[in-house]
Amino acid sequence: MKHWKNKKLVIQFTLSFILHQILLMLVIAIPGVFYSYLLQNPDNQTMITVMSLTAVACYFLYCLFYGYYFARPMYDVLNRIETLSNGEYLIPKQKKQFLSSRVYQDVNTNLESLSVTLQENEKKREEFDKLRQEWAAGVTHDLKTPLSYISGYTDILLSEKHTWSDEEKNEFLQMIKEKSKHMEELISDLSIAFRMDQSLDIKKRSEKIELVELLRRVLAESANTPSDKENSFEFVECGEPIYMKGDVQLLKRVFTNLIVNAIEHNPSGTLIKISIKKEAQAVIVIEDNGKGMDSYTVSHLFDRYYRGTSTETPTEGTGLGMAIVQQIVTAFEGSIDVKSELNHGTTFMVKLPYVEEC
């Protein structure tokens, strides 16, 4: 389609050029026709000279007209390009157009499309910069918080002013362990994000993965994680094994993130259902009947640095989790979609290519 538009523009210019050459010949011929048929005095040298000079004058006048006819609309095109280069993306009001502007109609249409695209990209860039700044501030805070706990409890244990019981020491050490684990998770998110940025070829670490068993293990680990929430879990199998090739740790990270998010971002008593079936691709659905998300959160859920919570809501995430999920699924040549509505739960659908059992 794009090539056809380019060819169409060339054809329009060619036809327009031919038309104007015909008109040029007619303009030059007018003095001769006037002299031959009206004056009927072929031997009058003075009249021949006058008619010749008139023909030359008509030729130059027509050349000026022809140049202005095509150059004037091009001036508007160049002006609009300069406007775009200066970062002004609003489409200017259309002035009265020359007849020759029709030749440049496709050019103007493409410029309008480019203006809209650049304007949208500028808006996305501003939103991205804002999210990145908020993310940097958030991650800095998230790293400082566990570090302050670790430093504080270490100072307490090393203090000679107090004598702590074994039970108290174990409590302090458990807190240090939990905060250390949280820092490891933050650093792991950053590491995976940078690996995916470098177009990591996950097939280089390819191994045979049985998806049903992997999902069962991930669900068991996530459901048994210590939590103050009492949730219900349901796993619907397809009745047959489904195999695929890839990095099992990265794939495990995808399902762990999705299930843990369903646990952490929903109230106690939420039902979390995981199902898998075999179609043209392996289809894994993770759904809950929790509080759901608004349309803005859904549209930005897979954006890097989007943390998905208000400033009043405490969060320990990096804002990379869902972006990592999408990157990994895409690297596996799969897809992920989300549907959610406030107070009506959330559904994630992951589609991954599988291989037949050898």
Side-chain angles (χ1 to χ4, degrees), residues 136-336:
V139 169
T140 301
H141 175 268
D142 291 343
L143 289 172
K144 282 183 177 179
T145 301
L147 274 175
S148 64
Y149 275 98
I150 294 172
S151 177
Y153 282 111
T154 302
D155 290 340
I156 290 174
L157 288 171
L158 294 174
S159 175
E160 297 180 355
K161 296 181 180 179
H162 302 279
T163 300
W164 306 103
S165 66
D166 291 341
E167 183 179 350
E168 288 174 324
K169 289 180 180 179
N170 287 333
E171 183 179 346
F172 296 154
L173 290 172
Q174 183 64 33
M175 183 63 69
I176 291 173
K177 182 180 179 181
E178 289 179 2
K179 297 304 177 182
S180 298
K181 182 180 179 183
H182 173 57
M183 290 186 66
E184 288 179 1
E185 291 174 352
L186 292 176
I187 295 171
S188 176
D189 274 355
L190 293 171
S191 175
I192 292 177
F194 292 138
R195 286 170 63 197
M196 301 306 293
D197 274 348
Q198 296 169 3
S199 299
L200 173 69
D201 186 2
I202 60 176
K203 293 184 178 179
K204 289 182 180 178
R205 298 179 57 187
S206 180
E207 54 187 300
K208 194 173 184 180
I209 304 171
E210 207 286 278
L211 282 175
V212 178
E213 180 60 28
L214 177 64
L215 275 173
R216 188 185 294 112
R217 290 203 317 266
V218 171
L219 179 58
E221 291 175 5
S222 302
N224 293 326
T225 301
S227 173
D228 58 353
K229 297 178 180 179
E230 295 293 333
N231 295 317
S232 301
F233 298 90
E234 182 180 348
F235 183 44
V236 180
E237 302 183 25
C238 61
E240 60 177 314
I242 302 177
Y243 296 94
M244 66 176 297
K245 293 282 188 177
D247 187 324
V248 67
Q249 292 303 321
L250 290 178
L251 194 60
K252 182 179 178 182
R253 187 58 176 270
V254 169
F255 299 126
T256 300
N257 279 12
L258 292 175
I259 295 174
V260 169
N261 277 352
I263 296 173
E264 292 183 350
H265 296 288
N266 284 307
S268 181
T270 298
L271 171 63
I272 301 170
K273 180 180 178 181
I274 297 91
S275 62
I276 180 171
K277 57 184 177 180
K278 194 174 183 181
E279 296 181 350
Q281 291 182 305
V283 180
I284 301 96
V285 178
I286 300 172
E287 55 186 321
D288 63 69
N289 62 349
K291 60 183 182 181
M293 298 177 285
D294 57 38
S295 58
Y296 181 84
T297 300
V298 171
S299 64
H300 290 79
L301 189 62
F302 297 113
D303 291 350
R304 180 170 292 191
Y305 311 130
Y306 182 69
R307 296 163 70 86
T309 53
S310 64
T311 54
E312 294 81 9
T313 306
T315 178
E316 294 186 337
T318 60
L320 293 172
M322 297 309 296
I324 288 172
V325 166
Q326 187 183 52
Q327 282 183 297
I328 295 175
V329 171
T330 302
F332 274 104
E333 299 180 355
S335 63
I336 179 169

Side-chain angles (χ1 to χ4, degrees), residues 25-42 47-56 58:
M25 288 187 291
L26 292 176
V27 169
I28 295 175
I30 288 174
V33 172
F34 179 79
Y35 176 73
S36 300
Y37 289 94
L38 296 181
L39 298 180
Q40 297 180 350
N41 190 4
M47 290 303 300
I48 292 174
T49 302
V50 171
M51 290 299 104
S52 299
L53 292 175
T54 303
V56 172
C58 290

Side-chain angles (χ1 to χ4, degrees), residues 94-110:
Q94 293 291 330
K95 300 178 181 179
K96 187 176 180 180
Q97 293 187 343
F98 290 83
L99 184 62
S100 59
S101 297
R102 296 180 180 179
V103 179
Y104 299 93
Q105 184 175 358
D106 290 336
V107 176
N108 289 323
T109 300
N110 288 336

